[in-house]
Amino acid sequence: MEGQITLISGIYYIYETENIALNYNPFIQNINISRLKNEVPIIRQNGSVDKRNIGIGYDMVTWFTESETSTELSGFEPNLAAFIVGIFPGAVPTIWPTKKFQNTRFRAAVSTKSDQ
């Protein structure tokens, strides 16, 4: 089978549905549609099997946060350069001013969804 792709994995979504007939349109009679069936068997903690409606409502909470930090640093960088001139030692001290800035911003968003 040259040139054909063989699938080695996949995901199948299987939903329990129920067919209902709608007749709200006077020109078209009995429109058949499928909708999700929310009453499904569940297993309780004690092992008993019961039917219950699930997936009807949900709560969703979204939380946003932002943190910003600005840092400014001023100072001096001293240095001493030493050398020898002939038989006499020499030194040149230097002091250089410094100024540094740093801005940091952190943003985060978290969403939590809970089905009932």
Side-chain angles (χ1 to χ4, degrees), residues 46-113:
N46 62 6
S48 65
V49 178
D50 194 11
K51 283 198 169 207
R52 184 172 172 199
N53 286 329
I54 62 170
I56 294 174
Y58 60 90
D59 290 332
M60 186 167 182
V61 176
T62 304
W63 177 66
F64 297 95
T65 186
E66 179 180 24
S67 175
E68 189 167 356
T69 304
S70 296
T71 304
E72 183 177 333
L73 180 65
S74 300
F76 294 98
E77 291 182 357
N79 194 12
L80 180 64
F83 55 92
I84 296 179
V85 178
I87 59 169
F88 301 105
V92 177
T94 57
I95 298 176
W96 300 101
T98 61
K99 193 159 189 117
K100 297 178 183 176
F101 300 96
Q102 180 179 2
N103 291 326
T104 304
R105 180 188 292 169
F106 173 76
R107 291 179 176 172
V110 177
S111 292
T112 303
K113 179 183 169 189

Side-chain angles (χ1 to χ4, degrees), residues 30-50:
N30 293 334
I31 299 173
N32 293 322
I33 64 168
S34 293
R35 69 176 182 184
L36 288 176
K37 190 173 183 182
N38 290 333
E39 187 176 62
V40 295
I42 62 167
I43 300 173
R44 301 243 180 228
Q45 289 182 347
N46 62 6
S48 65
V49 178
D50 194 11

